Amino acid sequence: GPMPKVIEDEVVITKTEQEGKDALEAEGTFGASWQIMLFRGVRDNDIELVKRVCSSHPAAIHEHFTSGMKEWELQWDSLRWYEFGDSTALYVASAYCADKVVRWLLSNGVDPDAVCYSKQTAADVIGVCTFKQEQAKTIDDLLKAERLPPQPPIKPTLFAKIGYEDHLKTVYEEIVNPEDPDGPKMKRAKRVSETVVRCKVSVTYKSYWLPPKTQYEVRIRAMKSPEWRTERTQATHKMITGLAAGTTYEVQIRAKNIAGWSDFCEVVTVSTPNAKRVGNEEGEEEKIKKKESEEEKKAKEEEEERRARRKA
């Protein structure tokens, strides 16, 4: 048969990323990779260029971004290129005394202790490429400063879903014993099906300044309820299950680093759909005959197709 089509994951580009990409293209980078542009911006303490590149490649501020560069690209842009083969933006900024860039990176939550070339951190290489007394002192102070908890994550996007599950259960009804009508009643098992309504809310929060593997706490409660229910995760997406139908929920998120928890982001609300009235129209008997599951139906259709093909 024909090869099944592989559906590519849709790449969602945020407005910030798109603006960053457009700005870089307009600048006429002559085909230079974004890594080269970032390296130059960091080296030259050009904070605006750094912000433009990072808005189109937000995770780059946390990564060893130079490992995506070719050796000749680094040789072209730095005399000590071999020391930058596996470096973070903070490490490069520190080596070039780029104090504005260091300040901006740290305020965006990069890890000052990330290990780069020959097990060195940013603090080990202050000014090794360009030494400027005043900037070197500023960078040293910034790197030694007490770590602050992260900024609160961005407001999450919420999406509520409802589902219905049929559950079979056994109930026992009492019947008269025909042998002994006045004696104790007999129990007879009977299978009945009941429909259970299940609601869930998907919570998505993409926070660029927070490094990968950040711990998040998502909390949710029915509107005005005194009790929050909390869940922790390292993912930037959480599915919260077991919620009631036709209810408005409040959701908040906070993040954690070495220094502790951020504040919670502002409250976002979402309402779960109302449940359809189930089962009242059908008689008990029809409910017991459980509806054929979609899979069974599909399997039957496929079997019939196969038979039809064989005949042909």
Side-chain angles (χ1 to χ4, degrees), residues 167-178:
H167 284 237
L168 274 178
K169 64 173 187 181
T170 305
V171 294
Y172 292 94
E173 47 182 0
E174 295 195 324
I175 53 164
V176 173
N177 180 349

Side-chain angles (χ1 to χ4, degrees), residues 25-279:
E25 276 159 26
E27 216 154 275
T29 55
F30 303 107
S33 67
W34 65 267
Q35 287 99 330
I36 292 180
M37 300 311 293
L38 181 54
F39 189 91
R40 288 178 191 167
V42 171
R43 178 193 66 189
D44 302 340
N45 209 10
D46 181 345
I47 191 69
E48 290 313 311
L49 176 56
V50 170
K51 282 180 184 171
R52 281 201 295 282
V53 179
C54 290
S55 62
S56 57
H57 295 88
I61 63 171
H62 301 291
E63 292 167 351
H64 288 61
F65 79 98
T66 60
S67 54
M69 292 173 75
K70 299 180 180 64
E71 273 191 6
W72 62 265
E73 291 176 328
L74 279 167
Q75 285 172 16
W76 189 263
D77 275 288
S78 172
L79 291 171
R80 301 180 64 139
W81 59 272
Y82 54 89
E83 292 184 19
F84 295 120
D86 190 24
S87 301
T88 59
L90 184 67
Y91 183 88
V92 177
S94 184
Y96 281 98
C97 274
D99 57 333
K100 283 190 246 165
V101 175
V102 168
R103 186 183 301 276
W104 183 78
L105 289 168
L106 288 170
S107 73
N108 278 300
V110 303
D111 177 7
D113 306 317
V115 171
C116 299
Y117 173 76
S118 72
K119 300 209 168 33
Q120 298 187 102
T121 65
D124 300 322
V125 294
I126 299 173
V128 298
C129 291
T130 309
F131 187 77
K132 299 177 183 145
Q133 188 105 37
E134 203 180 319
Q135 281 89 330
K137 169 97 179 71
T138 303
I139 290 171
D140 190 45
D141 291 345
L142 285 167
L143 290 172
K144 284 188 182 135
E146 192 187 345
R147 295 283 296 278
L148 298 170
Q151 305 169 42
I154 53 173
K155 272 194 337 189
T157 312
L158 306 178
F159 186 63
K161 299 179 180 142
I162 191 163
Y164 300 90
E165 291 173 17
D166 280 343
H167 284 237
L168 274 178
K169 64 173 187 181
T170 305
V171 294
Y172 292 94
E173 47 182 0
E174 295 195 324
I175 53 164
V176 173
N177 180 349
E179 312 280 305
D180 179 9
D182 301 323
K185 297 239 190 329
M186 289 167 59
K187 280 192 165 56
R188 181 169 67 186
K190 181 177 169 187
R191 302 279 278 161
V192 295
S193 140
E194 60 175 359
T195 303
V196 178
V197 181
R198 299 220 183 271
C199 287
K200 53 188 180 182
V201 166
S202 96
V203 186
T204 308
Y205 37 97
K206 199 173 174 184
S207 297
Y208 293 141
W209 57 86
L210 295 169
K213 296 229 175 7
T214 295
Q215 170 117 30
Y216 296 95
E217 183 175 86
V218 181
R219 68 178 188 176
I220 186 166
R221 67 176 178 186
M223 199 81 165
K224 305 276 183 288
S225 151
E227 286 293 300
W228 288 97
R229 170 181 151 195
T230 60
E231 308 222 0
R232 289 186 180 176
T233 174
Q234 284 190 348
T236 54
H237 174 262
K238 185 84 186 133
M239 185 66 80
I240 299 183
T241 55
L243 303 174
T247 308
T248 300
Y249 285 96
E250 299 180 313
V251 177
Q252 282 183 306
I253 301 169
R254 60 179 183 162
K256 185 185 192 183
N257 64 13
I258 294 171
W261 287 101
S262 73
D263 293 333
F264 277 101
C265 72
E266 56 188 287
V267 170
V268 187
T269 59
V270 63
S271 297
T272 53
N274 287 314
K276 296 195 283 281
R277 283 179 55 202
V278 189

